[in-house]
Amino acid sequence: MTTLFSVDGRILTPPKHLEPLLKGAYPAFFKALGHIRFFYVADEIWDGKATLVFKSGDEKLAAITLDDGVFHMSAAGYDFRITGDHALNDVFDALDKTAAAGMRRPKEQLDADLDEYPSGIRCDLCLVNKVHNRNDFSGSEKFNVMTRHCYYTGDEDWGDTDYSKGVCEGKQGCYKKTFICFEEKGFKNCLECGEYRTCGNCGVGHDPGECNLGITAEEVTNLIIPYCEMERLDLLQKSGNA
């Protein structure tokens, strides 16, 4: 298992490196990790071995302990033994019923005006967007530091700190394929099309479960939430806001 360290000493590990340990339970772990990151605001306390705790301020939201082919999850006062997806709905229901308001991700971060953001990617929340870099490159620089914590695996020049200071005007590279797709298919947004989980043209395609373990709530908010187009579209469809 690869162990990385953030600039402040936190242990970071790419989730995919846990697959040899979790075996068939890995897809469920990946899904649980993504669900918590998308719907809740919590720092991740990772010991680099087998224990991951989600804390919202001083309160514990949930905890996961890894084992051979299984993981154990405690949430809302319940303990769950998980070997596959079938047990996750019980975990998610327990969290939804008991998590305090301050632990829940604000609705305005989960929603999207599909006229403005037709694939569900929230350009306005992205730190590279010009709105966060009007006076200097503080947003872009913050984005680069957090990107290393969230996405680097240790094989990608981990020691390099010569960051570019690029700024996006909004809906550029992330939407390039999407707009071509709309023109070809005649749809106004990805939800109207309905094939956004399979077509491969919907934005940048970051899954909330793919980022390194051990990241902060702030890093999740800034480096994962803007690009959760699939999860955002699913939520809009479920809520009837399509």
Side-chain angles (χ1 to χ4, degrees), residues 1-6 8-19 21-22 26 29-34 36-37 42-54 64-66 148-153 158 208-217 219-220 224:
M1 185 187 303
T2 300
T3 299
L4 313 171
F5 294 92
S6 68
D8 57 4
R10 285 176 284 127
I11 299 173
L12 307 171
T13 299
K16 64 182 179 180
H17 291 194
L18 303 177
E19 192 166 7
L21 171 64
L22 289 171
Y26 177 74
F29 171 78
F30 189 86
K31 186 175 180 179
L33 183 62
I36 290 176
R37 286 172 169 172
D43 294 318
E44 298 176 12
I45 315 302
W46 167 240
D47 69 354
K49 298 178 181 178
T51 303
L52 179 65
V53 178
F54 300 90
I64 294 176
T65 303
L66 311 180
R148 296 169 60 74
H149 293 168
C150 290
Y151 293 107
Y152 277 49
T153 64
W158 181 254
E210 75 178 272
C211 289
N212 291 333
L213 306 181
I215 54 181
T216 67
E219 288 166 343
V220 173
I224 297 179

Side-chain angles (χ1 to χ4, degrees), residues 196-229:
Y196 57 87
R197 281 199 167 269
T198 58
C199 77
N201 292 324
C202 186
V204 294
H206 288 325
D207 189 293
E210 75 178 272
C211 289
N212 291 333
L213 306 181
I215 54 181
T216 67
E218 182 183 18
E219 288 166 343
V220 173
T221 297
N222 286 287
L223 263 293
I224 297 179
I225 295 303
Y227 321 111
C228 288
E229 68 270 31

